[in-house]
Each structure stands twice: as structure tokens, then as C-alpha cells.
Amino acid sequence: MKIEASKINQKGHLMFGGLDTVELAKKYGTPVYIYDVSMIRHNCRAFVDSFKKQQVAFQVAYASKAFSSIAMMQVAKQEGMSIDVVSEAELYTALQAGFPVERIHMHGNNKSEAELEMAITNRIGCIVIDNFYEITLLDRLLRKHDCQMDVLIRVTPGIESETHKYIMTGNVDSKFGFSIQNGQAEQAFLQLQHHDYIQLKGLHCHIGSQIFDSDRFIMAAEILFDELRDWNQKYGFVSEVLNLGGGFGIRYTSSDKPLPLEVYAEEIVKALKQYWDGVDFPFPEIWIEPGRSIVGEAGMTLYTVGSMKDIPGIRRYVAVDGGMADNIRPALYEAEYECIVANKADQPDREVVSIAGKCCESGDMLIKDIALPDLEANDIIAVLATGAYGYSMASHYNRFANAPVVFLENGVDHLVVRGETYKDVVRNDLPYEE
């Protein structure tokens, strides 16, 4: 693939975050996840600045499931973001990072009693309620602690987003949220409207992931507006918050055509202002939850080439020292990526190969049929746009140790997550003797 000259140094090596990727591979070993922190900051500011220009109250909450670490939470904090978490461990990470609790939102379709207790005792900013069971559980726990909690109701607006079925979340048949169409959303509202301990602030929806236009977000916003207007007319409810979730697409391959990040916010707010024009209840605070769009293209994974296998007339396999244990998305979603031979970034493409992982699975293929320069053992492969759902979905399959994470900023590399040792992998194992 063609690379900008500014990204290739005099040695012909790929540069990323101002540093030589080949030297980073030597220093930290492979596989290794590397992040350009200046790009993360730029993406945060694209959303935040866009809302500021629209002169509306807002929160941009980083969806930490995309990539969660103490260092990442600290960057989000520095950039004035809020944050959403879906587990005790994600909440614990945010707390360890010193993240302001009032800007933490908790999600999840099956929040445990322990997770809700942790959210309540730490006085986080908001819980997004997902089901009737959770209402009962939260009611009991808040009465136990004799305190109040701000909440949003997660609803499914019934929009089919054009994405993989596994990451489609706004359709009627979803494990998430209350359906507007069948009346469950209104039933939940009626339980919460005048609750002594649960303070209903508004509605939340999330229509899916890897969405390349603003039309579906605007459709969802209109559906939620209609519901809020109906509740205002029937019950006098005034929504303080409208959360339209995340799912903003990024470029994984040359065929992906995402919008500039600031355009999503601009077009959503513009549409919402039109909906609210002429109604007699105030414009709400607008929340969104970008995750992948903050960190996806800001990260890449470096691998070392090992074995190669030719099947005449069919395919040339090039194996690397990682795979589905550090990036499950190709096997899970048939996700597509592009890559660069980092130590031959200035050389022309000469052969079509498929990049195979080393896990004991036929489906462990990172990239199929990509044109690259002539390859040999110990070349360094840089797979692009792996910053979201790589490290966060990594596993110990085949007992592979989790790879390190390195932040790059101002020409300096910072190890922010240590790579695991084999001792780490077996740390929790116990012997069994008869």
C-alpha cells in the first residue's frame, strides 16, 4: 500500500507517533500495541470543540470498553472527557486513574449487585438503566444506602444500522435496553418518574458500531425526541439529558469512508435544534459516547514474520507471532485490516499474501490477500488501526501472554501496560494432587 513520505524515515522504516516502529519492535518485542497519543488527543478535541461551537451543554464520554487502562483514563481526564464503564474492573481502573467520579457513567445489560454497590458507594455521576430487573435491584440498594442516583433509561429506537449483526444494538431484537415500539420504555419511565431515590434525567440509545453517516443518529434522535415530547405532554416530564451513544466509524481499510469526527456532532446538534424549535420545554444536555473513533486509528500492532507457506495457485501464507489472541476481531466479525512492512516501508509491493496468526485455529487469519513487498523471516508487520478492541479483547488462548502497550508522544515512548510473562499467565493456577 502507498505510504506518505513523511511517515518513512531515511532507513526506509515506518514512523508512528514520531518514532521508528522497527526500533520500537526491537525495544519491546512483538507483538506490541503502540498508540500515538497526539492522535488520541486530537480525536477527543474534535468532538469536544464541535459541541462548544454549537453552544450547547454536553458531555463527551469515552467508551472505555474500546481500550481501558489507567494511562488511557488519564488522557481522557486531561482532555475534559467523561467516561463510560460497564464493569467493576473498568470502574476500578477509572478510580485508580483519579477520574472525576461525577463524570463516570455506568452501562451494562446485567449489572450485578456488587457493580451497582460500587457505583453507589463511589457516588458516580450516572447509571444507564437497561431492564426492569435492574430497576428493582437499584431501588433496593439505594434505599439501603439512603442516597439518590441520577439515571438514564436505555431505549432501543428500532433502527437497523448497516453493520455486522454482532455490533448492531439499536434494533428491536436486542439484548440491550427497553423497546420504544412495544411500550416497555414508557413502562420503565412510569416506574421512575417520581421515584424517591432514582433521579431520572433522560434517555439513552446506542444504534450500533462502525457507522459512516449521521443519518441514522439523526433518525434515532427524532424517535427519542418524539417519545420525550409525548411524555412531556402526558406527564409533564422534562428531559435534562439526551444521550445518543457512540458507534462513529473509522477507517480500517481504503474502502471505509467515515465522516470527519466533528461532522457527527455538528449534524446531530443541528437536527436536534430543529426538533426542539417551537416546543415549550428546554433543550437538553447532549451526551455522546465515542470509543473506537477516539483510539482506533491512533493504535497499531507490531508483529514479527516467521514461517511462510505457499499453496500453488491458491494462497501464500505469512505467519506472524500473534493473531486472534491479541486481535479477535477478524475471527469474530470478519473484520478487515491493512498492514505495512515496517522495515520495508519504502519498497514496492511485489506479492499478494495472507497474514496468518499462530493460534491453533484455521480461522486465525489477520488479513487475507494483501499486496506487500517481498517478505522474509524477521520482517516487522505493522497492522493499522488496531487501537480499539485489540488489547481490550485479548485472551490467553493457547496460553499466549498478553502483549505490552506503549504510548508515543512528543517523540518519547512510554510503557503504560507491561507485557505479561509466562509466570503471569499461570499466576492463578493451583496444583491438584490426589
Side-chain angles (χ1 to χ4, degrees):
M1 73 183 279
K2 189 174 181 180
I3 309 166
E4 296 176 24
S6 61
K7 296 180 180 179
I8 303 174
N9 66 16
Q10 293 180 343
K11 297 179 181 178
H13 295 174
L14 175 67
M15 299 290 288
F16 189 63
L19 292 163
D20 185 323
T21 56
V22 178
E23 294 302 318
L24 289 169
K26 290 178 182 177
K27 181 174 181 178
Y28 294 102
T30 58
V32 57
Y33 304 99
I34 58 176
Y35 284 83
D36 181 346
V37 179
S38 65
M39 192 182 300
I40 294 175
R41 296 189 191 280
H42 174 271
N43 294 339
C44 291
R45 293 168 189 175
F47 284 115
V48 169
D49 291 348
S50 182
F51 276 108
K52 287 180 177 178
K53 289 178 182 177
Q54 300 296 314
Q55 297 183 322
V56 296
F58 69 92
Q59 287 192 46
V60 179
Y62 169 62
S64 65
K65 64 180 181 176
F67 166 56
S68 179
S69 75
I70 289 174
M72 181 58 216
M73 301 285 195
Q74 289 172 328
V75 172
K77 173 186 172 183
Q78 292 161 8
E79 293 302 322
M81 305 282 279
S82 297
I83 210 155
D84 89 52
V85 299
V86 297
S87 70
E88 286 179 272
E90 285 186 355
L91 176 53
Y92 181 79
T93 304
L95 296 173
Q96 290 298 299
F99 205 90
V101 291
E102 69 275 10
R103 299 210 310 266
I104 299 176
H105 313 153
M106 175 168 274
H107 279 272
N109 70 302
N110 186 28
K111 302 179 189 71
S112 69
E113 183 167 333
E115 286 167 337
L116 291 173
E117 286 265 15
M118 189 174 183
I120 292 167
T121 56
N122 283 284
R123 301 292 193 268
I124 72 165
C126 180
I127 291 175
V128 182
I129 291 182
D130 203 90
N131 51 68
F132 292 110
Y133 169 79
E134 187 178 322
I135 293 176
T136 302
L137 183 56
L138 186 59
D139 170 80
R140 175 168 62 79
L141 293 174
L142 289 172
R143 291 181 187 278
K144 169 186 168 182
H145 290 278
D146 192 25
C147 66
Q148 296 180 332
M149 174 64 69
D150 289 349
V151 306
L152 302 180
I153 297 174
R154 178 165 182 167
V155 301
T156 53
I159 292 175
E160 302 280 346
S161 55
E162 293 182 355
T163 189
H164 193 285
K165 63 182 180 180
Y166 287 0
I167 51 177
M168 186 186 298
T169 57
N171 48 315
V172 174
D173 184 9
S174 172
K175 75 174 187 178
F176 297 105
F178 300 91
S179 171
I180 289 178
Q181 282 86 345
N182 65 17
Q184 289 183 336
E186 187 166 1
Q187 291 176 41
F189 163 76
L190 291 172
Q191 288 190 31
L192 299 176
Q193 183 186 12
H194 299 300
H195 200 284
D196 292 334
Y197 293 91
I198 301 176
Q199 305 299 302
L200 178 61
K201 295 297 181 180
L203 294 182
H204 170 283
C205 76
H206 188 289
I207 59 175
S209 297
Q210 198 56 358
I211 298 170
F212 291 139
D213 60 64
S214 61
D215 295 347
R216 287 169 181 77
F217 293 104
I218 292 171
M219 289 169 58
E222 183 175 13
I223 291 169
L224 268 59
F225 166 75
D226 287 342
E227 192 76 353
L228 291 173
R229 180 174 56 185
D230 182 55
W231 293 355
N232 177 261
Q233 292 171 350
K234 290 163 61 175
Y235 310 111
F237 176 69
V238 175
S239 178
E240 297 177 39
V241 174
L242 181 60
N243 189 334
L244 294 172
F248 313 107
I250 69 166
R251 182 188 182 278
Y252 283 108
T253 71
S254 55
S255 63
D256 293 331
K257 307 295 182 185
L259 293 173
L261 299 184
E262 59 272 14
V263 173
Y264 289 107
E266 289 171 3
E267 295 190 358
I268 288 169
V269 172
K270 180 180 178 181
L272 286 171
K273 285 181 175 179
Q274 291 178 339
Y275 300 151
W276 254 263
D277 185 33
V279 299
D280 58 359
F281 54 96
F283 192 81
E285 186 169 301
I286 306 303
W287 294 6
I288 60 170
E289 299 166 342
R292 182 195 318 265
S293 55
I294 297 294
V295 295
E297 291 183 73
M300 68 170 60
T301 310
L302 304 180
Y303 301 97
T304 300
V305 172
S307 67
M308 284 168 273
K309 175 183 177 179
D310 287 296
I311 304 178
I314 298 179
R315 178 168 282 120
R316 176 171 170 79
Y317 287 94
V318 174
V320 295
D321 56 349
M324 64 189 297
D326 55 75
N327 186 355
I328 191 63
R329 295 187 69 254
L332 183 62
Y333 304 141
E334 298 181 339
E336 296 182 350
Y337 288 88
E338 292 179 346
C339 70
I340 295 168
V341 184
N343 57 306
K344 298 177 178 177
D346 60 345
Q347 296 186 22
D349 297 333
R350 295 189 182 278
E351 58 180 346
V352 174
V353 302
S354 292
I355 307 299
K358 66 178 293 177
C359 290
C360 193
E361 293 283 341
S362 296
D364 184 20
M365 297 294 301
L366 290 174
I367 303 173
K368 291 183 178 179
D369 301 328
I370 184 169
L372 295 175
D374 290 330
L375 289 168
E376 55 194 328
N378 297 316
D379 281 339
I380 302 299
I381 299 289
V383 178
L384 310 181
T386 61
Y389 305 107
Y391 172 80
S392 66
M393 297 178 78
S395 74
H396 284 139
Y397 185 55
N398 288 158
R399 288 256 143 163
F400 290 125
N402 286 343
V405 180
V406 180
F407 274 12
L408 316 174
E409 188 168 23
N410 300 322
V412 180
D413 52 291
H414 303 266
L415 181 66
V416 296
V417 180
R418 285 192 297 268
E420 290 183 331
T421 66
Y422 298 131
K423 286 184 179 180
D424 293 326
V425 175
V426 302
R427 184 183 304 277
N428 294 321
D429 290 10
L430 297 174
Y432 173 71
E433 296 177 3
E434 293 186 6

PDB file of all heavy atoms in Angstrom, residues 16 54 63 68 79 95 122 124 160 176 185 211 232 236 283 299 317 331 359 363 379 393 396 409 411 432-433:
ATOM      1  N   PHE A  16       5.773   6.219  13.397  1.00  0.00           N
ATOM      2  CA  PHE A  16       4.448   6.343  14.006  1.00  0.00           C
ATOM      3  C   PHE A  16       4.615   7.091  15.320  1.00  0.00           C
ATOM      4  O   PHE A  16       5.505   6.764  16.118  1.00  0.00           O
ATOM      5  CB  PHE A  16       3.832   4.963  14.256  1.00  0.00           C
ATOM      6  CG  PHE A  16       2.392   5.000  14.684  1.00  0.00           C
ATOM      7  CD1 PHE A  16       1.411   5.507  13.844  1.00  0.00           C
ATOM      8  CD2 PHE A  16       2.006   4.523  15.924  1.00  0.00           C
ATOM      9  CE1 PHE A  16       0.080   5.540  14.229  1.00  0.00           C
ATOM     10  CE2 PHE A  16       0.674   4.540  16.328  1.00  0.00           C
ATOM     11  CZ  PHE A  16      -0.291   5.050  15.465  1.00  0.00           C
ATOM     12  N   GLN A  54     -21.228  24.632  18.885  1.00  0.00           N
ATOM     13  CA  GLN A  54     -22.686  24.601  18.779  1.00  0.00           C
ATOM     14  C   GLN A  54     -23.365  25.316  19.954  1.00  0.00           C
ATOM     15  O   GLN A  54     -24.572  25.531  19.944  1.00  0.00           O
ATOM     16  CB  GLN A  54     -23.177  23.152  18.735  1.00  0.00           C
ATOM     17  CG  GLN A  54     -22.646  22.328  17.577  1.00  0.00           C
ATOM     18  CD  GLN A  54     -23.108  22.858  16.237  1.00  0.00           C
ATOM     19  OE1 GLN A  54     -24.295  23.171  16.067  1.00  0.00           O
ATOM     20  NE2 GLN A  54     -22.199  22.979  15.293  1.00  0.00           N
ATOM     21  N   ALA A  63     -15.939   5.793  25.612  1.00  0.00           N
ATOM     22  CA  ALA A  63     -16.416   4.431  25.860  1.00  0.00           C
ATOM     23  C   ALA A  63     -15.213   3.541  26.143  1.00  0.00           C
ATOM     24  O   ALA A  63     -14.545   3.048  25.229  1.00  0.00           O
ATOM     25  CB  ALA A  63     -17.209   3.916  24.665  1.00  0.00           C
ATOM     26  N   SER A  68      -9.165   0.126  27.642  1.00  0.00           N
ATOM     27  CA  SER A  68      -9.171   0.596  29.021  1.00  0.00           C
ATOM     28  C   SER A  68      -7.826   0.334  29.678  1.00  0.00           C
ATOM     29  O   SER A  68      -7.334  -0.796  29.696  1.00  0.00           O
ATOM     30  CB  SER A  68     -10.279  -0.124  29.805  1.00  0.00           C
ATOM     31  OG  SER A  68     -10.299   0.303  31.152  1.00  0.00           O
ATOM     32  N   GLU A  79      -8.240  15.591  28.765  1.00  0.00           N
ATOM     33  CA  GLU A  79      -8.927  16.207  27.626  1.00  0.00           C
ATOM     34  C   GLU A  79     -10.363  16.617  27.950  1.00  0.00           C
ATOM     35  O   GLU A  79     -11.123  16.963  27.050  1.00  0.00           O
ATOM     36  CB  GLU A  79      -8.906  15.251  26.430  1.00  0.00           C
ATOM     37  CG  GLU A  79      -7.521  15.018  25.870  1.00  0.00           C
ATOM     38  CD  GLU A  79      -6.832  16.296  25.428  1.00  0.00           C
ATOM     39  OE1 GLU A  79      -7.525  17.188  24.873  1.00  0.00           O
ATOM     40  OE2 GLU A  79      -5.611  16.431  25.641  1.00  0.00           O
ATOM     41  N   LEU A  95     -11.178   4.805  38.697  1.00  0.00           N
ATOM     42  CA  LEU A  95     -10.898   5.342  40.029  1.00  0.00           C
ATOM     43  C   LEU A  95      -9.400   5.381  40.295  1.00  0.00           C
ATOM     44  O   LEU A  95      -8.886   6.354  40.874  1.00  0.00           O
ATOM     45  CB  LEU A  95     -11.608   4.500  41.092  1.00  0.00           C
ATOM     46  CG  LEU A  95     -13.141   4.516  41.048  1.00  0.00           C
ATOM     47  CD1 LEU A  95     -13.703   3.509  42.043  1.00  0.00           C
ATOM     48  CD2 LEU A  95     -13.689   5.913  41.311  1.00  0.00           C
ATOM     49  N   ASN A 122     -19.255   4.913  45.468  1.00  0.00           N
ATOM     50  CA  ASN A 122     -18.297   5.888  44.932  1.00  0.00           C
ATOM     51  C   ASN A 122     -18.972   7.118  44.351  1.00  0.00           C
ATOM     52  O   ASN A 122     -18.303   7.996  43.815  1.00  0.00           O
ATOM     53  CB  ASN A 122     -17.415   5.218  43.869  1.00  0.00           C
ATOM     54  CG  ASN A 122     -16.335   4.345  44.475  1.00  0.00           C
ATOM     55  OD1 ASN A 122     -15.331   4.840  44.977  1.00  0.00           O
ATOM     56  ND2 ASN A 122     -16.552   3.028  44.463  1.00  0.00           N
ATOM     57  N   ILE A 124     -20.825   7.763  41.660  1.00  0.00           N
ATOM     58  CA  ILE A 124     -20.556   8.103  40.267  1.00  0.00           C
ATOM     59  C   ILE A 124     -21.683   8.967  39.709  1.00  0.00           C
ATOM     60  O   ILE A 124     -22.762   9.061  40.288  1.00  0.00           O
ATOM     61  CB  ILE A 124     -20.342   6.850  39.395  1.00  0.00           C
ATOM     62  CG1 ILE A 124     -21.662   6.095  39.170  1.00  0.00           C
ATOM     63  CG2 ILE A 124     -19.283   5.940  39.988  1.00  0.00           C
ATOM     64  CD1 ILE A 124     -21.592   5.074  38.050  1.00  0.00           C
ATOM     65  N   GLU A 160     -32.249  -0.290  12.283  1.00  0.00           N
ATOM     66  CA  GLU A 160     -31.314  -1.306  11.810  1.00  0.00           C
ATOM     67  C   GLU A 160     -30.109  -0.599  11.191  1.00  0.00           C
ATOM     68  O   GLU A 160     -30.199  -0.026  10.113  1.00  0.00           O
ATOM     69  CB  GLU A 160     -31.981  -2.204  10.753  1.00  0.00           C
ATOM     70  CG  GLU A 160     -33.235  -2.916  11.255  1.00  0.00           C
ATOM     71  CD  GLU A 160     -32.924  -4.142  12.071  1.00  0.00           C
ATOM     72  OE1 GLU A 160     -31.767  -4.587  12.028  1.00  0.00           O
ATOM     73  OE2 GLU A 160     -33.829  -4.659  12.755  1.00  0.00           O
ATOM     74  N   PHE A 176     -30.070  -5.297  24.685  1.00  0.00           N
ATOM     75  CA  PHE A 176     -29.904  -4.040  25.403  1.00  0.00           C
ATOM     76  C   PHE A 176     -31.200  -3.239  25.447  1.00  0.00           C
ATOM     77  O   PHE A 176     -31.911  -3.125  24.442  1.00  0.00           O
ATOM     78  CB  PHE A 176     -28.836  -3.169  24.736  1.00  0.00           C
ATOM     79  CG  PHE A 176     -27.465  -3.764  24.739  1.00  0.00           C
ATOM     80  CD1 PHE A 176     -26.925  -4.301  23.583  1.00  0.00           C
ATOM     81  CD2 PHE A 176     -26.702  -3.791  25.895  1.00  0.00           C
ATOM     82  CE1 PHE A 176     -25.655  -4.850  23.571  1.00  0.00           C
ATOM     83  CE2 PHE A 176     -25.426  -4.333  25.899  1.00  0.00           C
ATOM     84  CZ  PHE A 176     -24.907  -4.873  24.735  1.00  0.00           C
ATOM     85  N   ALA A 185     -40.428   0.964  27.204  1.00  0.00           N
ATOM     86  CA  ALA A 185     -39.721   2.188  27.602  1.00  0.00           C
ATOM     87  C   ALA A 185     -40.630   3.074  28.444  1.00  0.00           C
ATOM     88  O   ALA A 185     -40.214   3.624  29.475  1.00  0.00           O
ATOM     89  CB  ALA A 185     -39.223   2.938  26.371  1.00  0.00           C
ATOM     90  N   ILE A 211     -20.440   3.072  12.090  1.00  0.00           N
ATOM     91  CA  ILE A 211     -21.454   3.727  11.263  1.00  0.00           C
ATOM     92  C   ILE A 211     -20.810   4.925  10.570  1.00  0.00           C
ATOM     93  O   ILE A 211     -20.170   5.757  11.217  1.00  0.00           O
ATOM     94  CB  ILE A 211     -22.652   4.153  12.129  1.00  0.00           C
ATOM     95  CG1 ILE A 211     -23.295   2.903  12.752  1.00  0.00           C
ATOM     96  CG2 ILE A 211     -23.677   4.927  11.310  1.00  0.00           C
ATOM     97  CD1 ILE A 211     -24.321   3.207  13.816  1.00  0.00           C
ATOM     98  N   ASN A 232     -43.727  14.548  27.852  1.00  0.00           N
ATOM     99  CA  ASN A 232     -43.921  15.901  28.360  1.00  0.00           C
ATOM    100  C   ASN A 232     -45.397  16.285  28.316  1.00  0.00           C
ATOM    101  O   ASN A 232     -45.933  16.850  29.277  1.00  0.00           O
ATOM    102  CB  ASN A 232     -43.086  16.889  27.557  1.00  0.00           C
ATOM    103  CG  ASN A 232     -43.300  18.320  27.999  1.00  0.00           C
ATOM    104  OD1 ASN A 232     -44.055  19.068  27.394  1.00  0.00           O
ATOM    105  ND2 ASN A 232     -42.633  18.702  29.087  1.00  0.00           N
ATOM    106  N   GLY A 236     -45.849  15.702  31.874  1.00  0.00           N
ATOM    107  CA  GLY A 236     -45.124  16.889  32.296  1.00  0.00           C
ATOM    108  C   GLY A 236     -43.635  16.669  32.508  1.00  0.00           C
ATOM    109  O   GLY A 236     -42.953  17.505  33.108  1.00  0.00           O
ATOM    110  N   PHE A 283     -34.151  22.750  25.835  1.00  0.00           N
ATOM    111  CA  PHE A 283     -33.218  21.893  25.097  1.00  0.00           C
ATOM    112  C   PHE A 283     -32.347  21.145  26.102  1.00  0.00           C
ATOM    113  O   PHE A 283     -31.808  21.738  27.039  1.00  0.00           O
ATOM    114  CB  PHE A 283     -32.348  22.758  24.185  1.00  0.00           C
ATOM    115  CG  PHE A 283     -31.557  21.990  23.162  1.00  0.00           C
ATOM    116  CD1 PHE A 283     -32.144  21.559  21.994  1.00  0.00           C
ATOM    117  CD2 PHE A 283     -30.210  21.709  23.372  1.00  0.00           C
ATOM    118  CE1 PHE A 283     -31.416  20.858  21.036  1.00  0.00           C
ATOM    119  CE2 PHE A 283     -29.473  21.008  22.437  1.00  0.00           C
ATOM    120  CZ  PHE A 283     -30.082  20.580  21.258  1.00  0.00           C
ATOM    121  N   GLY A 299      -3.959   3.619  17.119  1.00  0.00           N
ATOM    122  CA  GLY A 299      -3.162   2.477  17.545  1.00  0.00           C
ATOM    123  C   GLY A 299      -2.793   1.567  16.398  1.00  0.00           C
ATOM    124  O   GLY A 299      -3.479   1.512  15.374  1.00  0.00           O
ATOM    125  N   TYR A 317       0.741 -18.047   2.552  1.00  0.00           N
ATOM    126  CA  TYR A 317       0.544 -17.717   3.958  1.00  0.00           C
ATOM    127  C   TYR A 317       1.837 -17.158   4.550  1.00  0.00           C
ATOM    128  O   TYR A 317       2.905 -17.754   4.388  1.00  0.00           O
ATOM    129  CB  TYR A 317       0.145 -18.952   4.754  1.00  0.00           C
ATOM    130  CG  TYR A 317      -1.267 -19.441   4.512  1.00  0.00           C
ATOM    131  CD1 TYR A 317      -1.522 -20.429   3.563  1.00  0.00           C
ATOM    132  CD2 TYR A 317      -2.339 -18.932   5.244  1.00  0.00           C
ATOM    133  CE1 TYR A 317      -2.805 -20.901   3.346  1.00  0.00           C
ATOM    134  CE2 TYR A 317      -3.628 -19.394   5.018  1.00  0.00           C
ATOM    135  CZ  TYR A 317      -3.859 -20.371   4.081  1.00  0.00           C
ATOM    136  OH  TYR A 317      -5.131 -20.834   3.863  1.00  0.00           O
ATOM    137  N   ALA A 331     -11.503 -12.896  13.347  1.00  0.00           N
ATOM    138  CA  ALA A 331     -12.150 -14.197  13.530  1.00  0.00           C
ATOM    139  C   ALA A 331     -13.600 -14.041  13.984  1.00  0.00           C
ATOM    140  O   ALA A 331     -14.475 -14.815  13.588  1.00  0.00           O
ATOM    141  CB  ALA A 331     -11.364 -15.030  14.537  1.00  0.00           C
ATOM    142  N   CYS A 359      -2.149 -18.932  16.413  1.00  0.00           N
ATOM    143  CA  CYS A 359      -3.027 -19.738  17.250  1.00  0.00           C
ATOM    144  C   CYS A 359      -3.439 -21.012  16.521  1.00  0.00           C
ATOM    145  O   CYS A 359      -3.465 -21.056  15.286  1.00  0.00           O
ATOM    146  CB  CYS A 359      -4.276 -18.953  17.640  1.00  0.00           C
ATOM    147  SG  CYS A 359      -3.966 -17.607  18.806  1.00  0.00           S
ATOM    148  N   GLY A 363      -9.165 -20.481  11.593  1.00  0.00           N
ATOM    149  CA  GLY A 363      -9.752 -19.153  11.431  1.00  0.00           C
ATOM    150  C   GLY A 363      -8.884 -18.027  11.941  1.00  0.00           C
ATOM    151  O   GLY A 363      -9.293 -16.857  11.879  1.00  0.00           O
ATOM    152  N   ASP A 379      10.973  -9.943   9.286  1.00  0.00           N
ATOM    153  CA  ASP A 379      10.396  -8.657   8.915  1.00  0.00           C
ATOM    154  C   ASP A 379       9.362  -8.260   9.965  1.00  0.00           C
ATOM    155  O   ASP A 379       8.782  -9.109  10.647  1.00  0.00           O
ATOM    156  CB  ASP A 379       9.720  -8.747   7.541  1.00  0.00           C
ATOM    157  CG  ASP A 379      10.701  -8.691   6.386  1.00  0.00           C
ATOM    158  OD1 ASP A 379      11.830  -8.195   6.588  1.00  0.00           O
ATOM    159  OD2 ASP A 379      10.350  -9.135   5.272  1.00  0.00           O
ATOM    160  N   MET A 393      -9.855  -6.904  24.098  1.00  0.00           N
ATOM    161  CA  MET A 393     -10.482  -8.206  23.865  1.00  0.00           C
ATOM    162  C   MET A 393      -9.451  -9.333  23.807  1.00  0.00           C
ATOM    163  O   MET A 393      -9.767 -10.455  23.409  1.00  0.00           O
ATOM    164  CB  MET A 393     -11.289  -8.171  22.567  1.00  0.00           C
ATOM    165  CG  MET A 393     -12.436  -7.187  22.595  1.00  0.00           C
ATOM    166  SD  MET A 393     -13.373  -7.092  21.032  1.00  0.00           S
ATOM    167  CE  MET A 393     -14.372  -8.576  21.158  1.00  0.00           C
ATOM    168  N   HIS A 396      -5.970 -15.375  26.621  1.00  0.00           N
ATOM    169  CA  HIS A 396      -4.830 -16.251  26.863  1.00  0.00           C
ATOM    170  C   HIS A 396      -4.962 -17.542  26.066  1.00  0.00           C
ATOM    171  O   HIS A 396      -4.389 -18.564  26.451  1.00  0.00           O
ATOM    172  CB  HIS A 396      -4.707 -16.581  28.353  1.00  0.00           C
ATOM    173  CG  HIS A 396      -4.152 -15.469  29.171  1.00  0.00           C
ATOM    174  ND1 HIS A 396      -4.637 -15.141  30.408  1.00  0.00           N
ATOM    175  CD2 HIS A 396      -3.156 -14.581  28.934  1.00  0.00           C
ATOM    176  CE1 HIS A 396      -3.970 -14.115  30.910  1.00  0.00           C
ATOM    177  NE2 HIS A 396      -3.062 -13.762  30.025  1.00  0.00           N
ATOM    178  N   GLU A 409       4.422   9.901  22.510  1.00  0.00           N
ATOM    179  CA  GLU A 409       4.038  11.310  22.494  1.00  0.00           C
ATOM    180  C   GLU A 409       5.281  12.178  22.604  1.00  0.00           C
ATOM    181  O   GLU A 409       6.176  11.887  23.407  1.00  0.00           O
ATOM    182  CB  GLU A 409       3.067  11.616  23.638  1.00  0.00           C
ATOM    183  CG  GLU A 409       2.475  13.018  23.548  1.00  0.00           C
ATOM    184  CD  GLU A 409       1.304  13.246  24.482  1.00  0.00           C
ATOM    185  OE1 GLU A 409       1.187  12.536  25.502  1.00  0.00           O
ATOM    186  OE2 GLU A 409       0.489  14.148  24.196  1.00  0.00           O
ATOM    187  N   GLY A 411       7.759  12.445  20.703  1.00  0.00           N
ATOM    188  CA  GLY A 411       8.995  11.749  20.375  1.00  0.00           C
ATOM    189  C   GLY A 411       9.518  10.827  21.458  1.00  0.00           C
ATOM    190  O   GLY A 411      10.660  10.375  21.385  1.00  0.00           O
ATOM    191  N   TYR A 432      -3.000 -29.639  41.618  1.00  0.00           N
ATOM    192  CA  TYR A 432      -4.016 -30.617  42.059  1.00  0.00           C
ATOM    193  C   TYR A 432      -3.337 -31.939  42.257  1.00  0.00           C
ATOM    194  O   TYR A 432      -2.721 -32.499  41.341  1.00  0.00           O
ATOM    195  CB  TYR A 432      -5.115 -30.751  41.001  1.00  0.00           C
ATOM    196  CG  TYR A 432      -6.098 -31.850  41.315  1.00  0.00           C
ATOM    197  CD1 TYR A 432      -6.998 -31.713  42.368  1.00  0.00           C
ATOM    198  CD2 TYR A 432      -6.101 -33.021  40.585  1.00  0.00           C
ATOM    199  CE1 TYR A 432      -7.903 -32.717  42.672  1.00  0.00           C
ATOM    200  CE2 TYR A 432      -6.990 -34.033  40.879  1.00  0.00           C
ATOM    201  CZ  TYR A 432      -7.895 -33.884  41.932  1.00  0.00           C
ATOM    202  OH  TYR A 432      -8.769 -34.881  42.224  1.00  0.00           O
ATOM    203  N   GLU A 433      -3.419 -32.446  43.452  1.00  0.00           N
ATOM    204  CA  GLU A 433      -2.817 -33.732  43.744  1.00  0.00           C
ATOM    205  C   GLU A 433      -3.852 -34.598  44.461  1.00  0.00           C
ATOM    206  O   GLU A 433      -4.527 -34.152  45.386  1.00  0.00           O
ATOM    207  CB  GLU A 433      -1.595 -33.564  44.647  1.00  0.00           C
ATOM    208  CG  GLU A 433      -0.464 -32.764  43.996  1.00  0.00           C
ATOM    209  CD  GLU A 433       0.704 -32.564  44.945  1.00  0.00           C
ATOM    210  OE1 GLU A 433       0.644 -33.104  46.069  1.00  0.00           O
ATOM    211  OE2 GLU A 433       1.665 -31.880  44.549  1.00  0.00           O
TER     212      GLU A 433
END
